[in-house]
Amino acid sequence: MSSNLQATHVPSNSFVINIFEPHHCFPKIVQSVLTQIVNQKNLDKLKDYDGVEGLASGLKTNLNRGINGDVGDIAQRKEAFGSNTYRRSSPEKKLFYFVWEALREPTYLILLACAALLLGFEIKQHGLKEGWYDGGSIFVAVFAAIAISAINQFRQNRRLFVKLSKTRYNNVQVDVVRNGTSQKVSMSEIVVGDVVCLKSGDQVPADGLLIDGRNSLLVDESSMNGESDPVEVYLSRNPFLFCGTKVTAGNGRMLVTSVGMNTTWGEMMSSIDSNEQTALKFRLNKLTSSIGKVGLSVTFLVYVVLKFLFFIGYIKDKNGNTEYNGSKPKADVILNFVVGIIAAAVTILVDPITGGLPVGVTLTTYLMKRMTSDHAMDGELSACGTMGFATTICTDKTGTLTLNQMKVTKFWIGQESIEDSGTSVVELLNQGIGLNTTVSVNQSASGSKFQFSGSPTEKAILSWAVSELNLDMEGLKQSCEILHIGAFNSTKKKRGVLMRKRGQNTTYVHMKGAAEMVLAMCSHYYDVSGSIMVLDDVARKKFEGIIQGMAEGSLRCIAFAHKQVTGEENEEGKTQIEENCLNLLGLVGLTDPCRPGVKEVVEECQYTGVNVKMITGDNIFTAIEIATECGILEPNQDMESGVVLPGEEFRNYTPMERMEKVDNIRVMARSSPLDKLLMIQCLEQKGHVVVVIGNGTNDAPALKEADIGISIGRQATEMAKACSDIVIKDDDFGSVSAVLRWGRCVYTNVRKFIQLQLTLNVVALVINSVASVSTGEVPLSAVQWVWVNFVMNTLGALAIATEKPTEELMEKPPVGRTKQLITNAMWRNLLSQAFYQIAGLLTLQFKGEAIFNVSANVNDTLIFNVLVLCQGFNVFALWKLENKTVFEGIPKSKLFLGVIGVTIALQVVIVEFLKKFADTERLNWWQWGVCVGFASGCWLIWWVVKRIPVPEKPFLVGGGAPLPLPLCPHLPDTSFSSMPSELDPAPGAHSDDKVCSGNFESA
């Protein structure tokens, strides 16, 4: 039994050799061969197996009767070639997996171990009723932090899994032939070797080969290659059918060669099975990790110092006696010391480790999602915040910048532009348009409107002919008969039809296609009066100028020509339509209008410092025109400076040249999907945070590679949506601007909360460390610290997140990949606040009892109350992070004021009514006034320090380190990107949007 070897390229620049052994039931063929033939459109390989008939024989399929179809046959085929189901390369992870991953964090393990010891000792000393407070509250805090982390990771993983599972609908019924009978089976039950019957409107359920069809089968492959032109599938040159594509015209049968994950669609699905961190997630994780490490280091240092002080006799008990006097200590003394040192260490650690950063960021992003729901957006929450970093937007054209709704705007007869339908060649034009088309026309129930179905270009031409040239499709079909339909020629981008009027013997050829291609076949042309003129060199140059002028005006130019066929030619015409010495009937120019508001969005992005680049497969003339119309290029901009260039030229640059010139490029024309991917990698390597906007399946690699992928919902393929971080569901391009606004707002609010959290962390570490080293105790209990973190910071996050986007945010330059998350201004603000709070709290710690003539318990309550109120007043100051005015806009935000009010009310309850649980003492009005007065000093500190200038260059990088740069730009080896295309526009021709696009949509 022979085996088949296949080399698969992997990103690590190594090769994995996959060995495929033939199944014992199908010894003549292996899956790798079947995949290679269709995926690469390999006609030579197909001929090696004696064509479709030979493959069918190897698959034990009768092309007329289909497969046997019994239970055993189906089971063998699934065992040999797989089932028609789709899965990720890795199974879906359960919630427990992420909980376990979080539990493996060393800091959490240390904290839980210490909390367990503390809980045991406290229960032993004070009993279960009161001894669980400190240890139990720490357990609750740690488990809450773990739960939040695990749930966030689980939701992100689940989101991608659900999106991918929705890309196919396995309950769709498909017509197949099994054991000589036609039957309907679920799409998921299709197997290799099945004979599937296809008709117009059907989705191709798997990869396969056309067996037969009437003339040809027109297939919309835009979901796979981004082409708006349907591809003509026919036996002789292009029998290949791909899963996920759609039949737009014709009927035929196909032999299934690959199903499920072995199809081109399945390979693309597996290629997007990744879970990269967004820019915002990376920085927040980095910051959280740094905070934990600092907290752990300080805790260990305090532990060592306390142990040293104990053995040198510095630590005293409540009665003022030295706990260790050099003699052998008693067991209860050691026990008390251990309990005290663990309590102090855990209390120091509980703030930075279980701090409110994960909680606050989660609440901020979820609140932003609720607010952005008005803009009909869906996607990864952190991606919205990552938009605050964005420096460059790379966008597709068709269906993104434009509506993908073609419309005829220019009509030429001879060398004159015609504004009305009054032309002497209208009858011939109607024949050429109405008979040489793949569009179906139906009248509405009222009979007043026509409905067209087919490709955008074909629909636009036929709709124009019906409305402007009074084309009567039913009358035309009754008066004329079609003798032969020529196959679409992908090289010359034209299609012909042989016809004659009923009752007559005269036969005509009608040709329609790319204007420059049809023009080359013509020897004469009709002028506006209907006279036939010789197409000499002078006239030909004028027509070429007209065609180029339309291309420069972003119009797709389609030409119509005809010719009467003689009797001798007619005999040949039965198998081959004449393609020379035609008479040019006319030219039409079609435009794909830009989406409403595109120019305004582009201008707003540019105003904010975000560069917008268009990457398209169009020719340079059309790309320049569309880019100028959208505002990406300035009118009359110098094109010699490398602002516009073809994708091939960019591809052929050396890596150094690409890195030098990529920033200057505004438009890349004639580009392939790999050119787009290469540009994105270069931009990321240069430090840009890149947003990609695309809708096609062929955009999937770019959408996945980019920092943020955005798809326009209604026209986006399922694969594009699955690869996107954000989906704009209402098809409004203006929502891109909204995403940018909200992204900057989320990013700014996250920075505010980071500043609030870090201020508290610094204060907590310093106060606890100094107090524990100097007195052997910490001023606040673990319960109080848990309250400060989880209640105070949760409500603080809600208060901060209530601010909506402002124009001020859009006036600032983008953050980018290399700028620090914590700026110098933030360090200035948080350190000044921390210094003020530390100074006041240490004063209370060491002199509070004497200054206010209160007991130690009341003094500790004052410290706790001041600390909480300081954070509340700090939230007010953070409302406008960089404004010198503290209270600007606050009176208008009822939600903000409500959250602050609830926070103060809860603090009153904690202090006044939860004495045993929170270890507090009730305060009188004067003491409350002292606390509020000191906390309000935070406003004065803010007012002063915001006027102190700081340099832009960062002087502290901890936690705010720049994002890691991607690997050196490379061209990944993806099966779908290497799939050859039949369509390759000639220079000067208008393609739809991709490099492989054709000029003519009746393929």
Side-chain angles (χ1 to χ4, degrees):
M1 184 180 295
S2 61
S3 64
N4 183 278
L5 301 181
Q6 184 180 33
T8 303
H9 188 68
V10 293
S12 59
N13 295 325
S14 61
F15 285 87
V16 176
I17 304 298
N18 298 322
I19 303 177
F20 297 93
E21 294 287 347
H23 192 269
H24 65 274
C25 295
F26 305 94
K28 296 181 180 180
I29 200 162
V30 292
Q31 179 62 64
S32 60
V33 172
L34 298 172
T35 302
Q36 182 184 21
I37 289 173
V38 178
N39 198 350
Q40 299 180 7
K41 294 189 175 182
N42 195 327
L43 284 172
D44 293 334
K45 193 76 172 178
L46 181 60
K47 291 177 182 178
D48 292 342
Y49 281 81
D50 298 326
V52 178
E53 293 82 3
L55 285 181
S57 175
L59 293 172
K60 297 183 180 179
T61 299
N62 185 299
L63 293 180
N64 293 320
R65 295 180 56 83
I67 63 175
N68 188 331
D70 59 25
V71 176
D73 184 31
I74 298 296
Q76 288 176 351
R77 293 177 186 275
K78 287 185 177 181
E79 180 183 346
F81 305 107
S83 62
N84 200 29
T85 55
Y86 297 84
R87 64 188 185 280
R88 299 200 308 172
S89 58
S90 58
E92 181 185 8
K93 296 180 176 67
K94 304 300 182 182
L95 178 60
F96 178 77
Y97 170 85
F98 297 102
V99 173
W100 175 249
E101 286 295 310
L103 278 170
R104 293 172 61 186
E105 185 71 27
T107 49
Y108 284 142
L109 294 177
I110 293 172
L111 201 56
L112 288 173
C114 293
L117 289 173
L118 180 61
L119 182 63
F121 288 136
E122 290 286 325
I123 291 176
K124 183 178 179 180
Q125 284 190 338
H126 305 290
L128 180 62
K129 187 175 180 180
E130 296 183 2
W132 69 271
Y133 292 159
D134 286 349
S137 62
I138 293 174
F139 270 114
V140 171
V142 174
F143 283 126
I146 290 173
I148 290 170
S149 174
I151 290 173
N152 282 341
Q153 292 296 323
F154 173 74
R155 286 174 62 90
Q156 178 186 349
N157 184 268
R158 177 68 177 171
R159 171 181 167 267
L160 182 61
F161 187 88
V162 170
K163 284 174 68 176
L164 292 178
S165 65
K166 288 182 178 180
T167 58
R168 292 296 307 270
Y169 304 95
N170 291 326
N171 59 345
V172 176
Q173 298 295 303
V174 181
D175 291 321
V176 300
V177 177
R178 289 180 178 176
N179 200 22
T181 60
S182 178
Q183 53 187 284
K184 287 186 178 294
V185 300
S186 172
M187 184 182 291
S188 60
E189 292 302 315
I190 296 293
V191 294
V192 170
D194 257 325
V195 174
V196 178
C197 301
L198 298 173
K199 62 182 182 300
S200 180
D202 285 349
Q203 180 180 335
V204 179
D207 284 0
L209 298 165
L210 184 66
I211 299 173
D212 56 41
R214 183 181 177 184
N215 296 315
S216 61
L217 208 64
L218 291 182
V219 179
D220 178 8
E221 293 187 355
S222 60
S223 65
M224 302 298 295
N225 57 25
E227 303 289 350
S228 63
D229 294 334
V231 175
E232 188 160 11
V233 178
Y234 48 96
L235 290 175
S236 60
R237 291 181 53 196
N238 183 32
F240 309 103
L241 291 160
F242 295 95
C243 176
T245 59
K246 186 176 181 180
V247 179
T248 59
N251 298 285
R253 297 185 304 146
M254 69 172 284
L255 172 68
V256 175
T257 58
S258 298
V259 294
M261 299 304 291
N262 291 319
T263 63
T264 307
W265 182 283
E267 290 181 14
M268 282 190 284
M269 285 186 65
S270 63
S271 72
I272 65 170
D273 183 23
S274 56
N275 224 1
E276 299 96 349
Q277 290 185 342
T278 62
L280 183 60
K281 271 188 179 179
F282 175 83
R283 294 191 178 194
L284 290 177
N285 289 342
K286 185 82 172 178
L287 179 58
T288 304
S289 176
S290 299
I291 292 173
K293 291 176 181 178
V294 171
L296 198 60
S297 301
V298 173
T299 300
F300 178 75
L301 181 61
V302 169
Y303 171 81
V304 173
V305 171
L306 285 176
K307 192 172 182 179
F308 173 75
L309 293 177
F310 175 80
F311 284 107
I312 65 173
Y314 183 80
I315 303 297
K316 302 180 183 299
D317 58 20
K318 293 182 178 179
N319 299 321
N321 299 320
T322 302
E323 292 193 2
Y324 178 76
N325 55 14
S327 61
K328 185 176 181 179
K330 297 180 180 180
D332 61 337
V333 173
I334 296 177
L335 183 63
N336 290 334
F337 167 72
V338 171
V339 172
I341 199 171
I342 290 177
V346 171
T347 305
I348 293 172
L349 192 61
V350 72
D351 181 75
I353 298 301
T354 64
L357 186 57
V359 183
V361 171
T362 299
L363 287 172
T364 301
T365 51
Y366 270 92
L367 189 58
M368 290 302 103
K369 183 180 181 181
R370 181 179 64 80
M371 293 179 177
T372 55
S373 62
D374 296 336
H375 300 279
M377 286 180 268
D378 183 28
E380 182 65 34
L381 295 176
S382 59
C384 187
T386 306
M387 283 293 290
F389 297 78
T391 60
T392 303
I393 294 177
C394 296
T395 178
D396 201 1
K397 182 186 76 65
T398 302
T400 305
L401 295 175
T402 64
L403 293 171
N404 197 21
Q405 297 174 1
M406 304 298 291
K407 180 181 179 181
V408 175
T409 58
K410 290 288 185 181
F411 176 36
W412 292 74
I413 295 292
Q415 299 174 12
E416 297 186 30
S417 178
I418 307 298
E419 300 296 334
D420 54 48
S421 59
T423 172
S424 57
V425 295
V426 66
E427 181 180 0
L428 293 174
L429 278 171
N430 281 339
Q431 291 175 6
I433 294 173
L435 298 177
N436 191 10
T437 186
T438 60
V439 173
S440 60
V441 182
N442 299 303
Q443 278 191 308
S444 61
S446 62
S448 59
K449 292 184 178 180
F450 291 95
Q451 296 176 340
F452 305 95
S453 60
S455 68
T457 301
E458 289 273 47
K459 286 193 296 183
I461 293 174
L462 197 59
S463 175
W464 168 76
V466 169
S467 61
E468 299 295 330
L469 302 182
N470 299 317
L471 170 61
D472 179 7
M473 288 294 292
E474 289 300 322
L476 186 65
K477 290 179 181 179
Q478 292 175 5
S479 63
C480 301
E481 61 177 325
I482 297 176
L483 303 178
H484 181 69
I485 299 176
F488 175 71
N489 189 311
S490 60
T491 303
K492 296 184 178 180
K493 303 175 195 63
K494 50 80 182 173
R495 175 190 174 101
V497 63
L498 200 64
M499 54 76 62
R500 68 182 170 205
K501 288 188 175 182
R502 297 187 186 276
Q504 297 183 9
N505 293 324
T506 306
T507 304
Y508 295 92
V509 169
H510 278 279
M511 193 68 65
K512 178 176 68 174
E516 69 277 9
M517 300 299 181
V518 174
L519 180 65
M521 303 175 191
C522 296
S523 58
H524 296 76
Y525 69 94
Y526 283 90
D527 65 10
V528 71
S529 64
S531 302
I532 298 178
M533 310 294 291
V534 176
L535 188 60
D536 55 19
D537 292 340
V538 175
R540 191 176 298 276
K541 287 184 179 179
K542 289 184 179 180
F543 278 110
E544 289 172 351
I546 293 171
I547 294 169
Q548 182 171 334
M550 282 197 271
E552 292 174 351
S554 72
L555 298 180
R556 165 174 290 189
C557 190
I558 303 296
F560 302 91
H562 95 119
K563 172 186 177 183
Q564 180 178 340
V565 182
T566 64
E568 294 179 359
E569 290 174 326
N570 187 24
E571 291 300 319
E572 294 294 328
K574 290 180 181 179
T575 57
Q576 181 178 357
I577 295 176
E578 289 295 315
E579 298 180 357
N580 53 24
C581 298
L582 302 179
N583 302 320
L584 184 65
L585 285 171
L587 305 169
V588 294
L590 301 94
T591 183
D592 185 5
C594 290
R595 285 181 179 272
V598 164
K599 187 172 184 179
E600 290 74 13
V601 173
V602 170
E603 289 176 347
E604 182 173 3
C605 291
Q606 293 172 338
Y607 173 75
T608 64
V610 178
N611 296 318
V612 181
K613 303 177 186 290
M614 184 177 79
I615 309 176
T616 176
D618 283 328
N619 64 71
I620 287 184
F621 296 118
T622 304
I624 291 173
E625 186 65 27
I626 292 293
T628 303
E629 185 178 350
C630 294
I632 297 174
L633 293 177
E634 298 293 333
N636 303 318
Q637 186 164 358
D638 180 18
M639 304 303 169
E640 301 298 327
S641 58
V643 176
V644 180
L645 83 164
E648 183 179 4
E649 184 177 338
F650 181 76
R651 191 188 322 139
N652 292 333
Y653 282 153
T654 65
M656 185 67 69
E657 289 175 327
R658 282 197 293 265
M659 297 295 285
E660 290 176 357
K661 299 182 179 182
V662 68
D663 282 331
N664 193 42
I665 299 172
R666 304 285 282 277
V667 175
M668 184 188 290
R670 290 288 188 209
S671 61
S672 69
L674 286 183
D675 295 332
K676 179 184 294 188
L677 190 62
L678 185 60
M679 172 176 272
I680 292 165
Q681 292 171 335
C682 289
L683 289 169
E684 290 179 336
Q685 187 70 17
K686 292 203 72 173
H688 291 276
V689 175
V690 183
V691 180
V692 167
I693 307 176
N695 288 338
T697 297
N698 62 324
D699 292 323
L703 289 167
K704 197 63 184 174
E705 174 73 19
D707 295 286
I708 308 106
I710 300 178
S711 58
I712 310 294
R714 293 176 186 171
Q715 294 197 22
T717 64
E718 293 299 330
M719 185 65 68
K721 293 178 184 178
C723 289
S724 299
D725 300 295
I726 298 172
V727 177
I728 299 174
K729 297 186 289 187
D730 60 1
D731 267 16
D732 182 7
F733 194 82
S735 294
V736 174
S737 175
V739 174
L740 183 60
R741 285 174 174 269
W742 281 107
R744 292 196 173 191
C745 184
V746 169
Y747 173 66
T748 300
N749 288 341
V750 167
R751 290 174 65 213
K752 292 177 185 178
F753 187 77
I754 289 172
Q755 193 162 314
L756 176 67
Q757 181 63 36
L758 286 182
T759 301
L760 181 61
N761 289 153
V762 172
V763 173
L765 287 174
V766 173
I767 293 295
N768 285 339
S769 301
V770 172
S772 60
V773 169
S774 59
T775 66
E777 297 179 346
V778 289
L780 270 65
S781 67
V783 172
Q784 291 172 343
W785 279 117
V786 170
W787 158 256
V788 170
N789 279 291
F790 276 88
V791 179
M792 183 62 220
N793 285 322
T794 299
L795 294 174
L798 284 172
I800 290 172
T802 57
E803 186 184 10
K804 294 183 178 180
T806 61
E807 290 300 326
E808 180 185 1
L809 289 175
M810 305 304 286
E811 294 173 355
K812 298 176 182 177
V815 176
R817 186 176 297 274
T818 57
K819 290 186 179 179
Q820 300 297 313
L821 178 62
I822 306 176
T823 63
N824 289 350
M826 292 175 65
W827 282 119
R828 175 200 63 192
N829 298 340
L830 73 88
L831 290 177
S832 61
Q833 281 291 323
F835 178 79
Y836 172 75
Q837 293 180 31
I838 289 170
L841 293 173
L842 286 179
T843 300
L844 286 174
Q845 172 70 23
F846 295 108
K847 299 294 182 181
E849 296 178 31
I851 293 175
F852 299 108
N853 193 25
V854 294
S855 65
N857 288 341
V858 172
N859 190 60
D860 288 344
T861 303
L862 286 173
I863 294 174
F864 169 60
N865 204 32
V866 167
L867 178 64
V868 172
L869 292 178
C870 280
Q871 309 318 309
F873 281 87
N874 202 9
V875 170
F876 271 91
L878 286 168
W879 177 259
K880 295 293 183 181
L881 191 61
E882 297 178 3
N883 282 16
K884 295 181 175 63
T885 304
V886 175
F887 304 107
E888 181 180 339
I890 287 180
K892 298 180 181 179
S893 178
K894 295 180 180 178
L895 180 59
F896 176 84
L897 295 175
V899 170
I900 296 297
V902 169
T903 303
I904 295 174
L906 289 175
Q907 178 64 15
V908 172
V909 171
I910 286 286
V911 171
E912 299 293 327
F913 303 106
L914 297 179
K915 175 180 178 180
K916 287 188 176 182
F917 178 74
D919 194 21
T920 57
E921 296 288 340
R922 301 188 71 171
L923 303 179
N924 57 38
W925 287 106
W926 181 81
Q927 291 166 343
W928 271 100
V930 170
C931 295
V932 172
F934 180 81
S936 62
C938 294
W939 288 345
L940 178 62
I941 298 298
W942 273 104
W943 187 85
V944 173
V945 300
K946 282 188 174 183
R947 285 161 172 77
I948 300 175
V950 291
E952 288 292 328
K953 186 176 180 180
F955 51 82
L956 287 174
V957 297
L963 299 179
L965 294 177
L967 299 176
C968 294
H970 63 281
L971 286 175
D973 181 17
T974 52
S975 58
F976 52 95
S977 62
S978 61
M979 186 172 64
S981 173
E982 292 187 323
L983 305 178
D984 186 17
H990 180 99
S991 67
D992 197 4
D993 192 56
K994 309 297 176 192
V995 70
C996 300
S997 233
N999 222 329
F1000 173 46
E1001 272 197 62
S1002 62

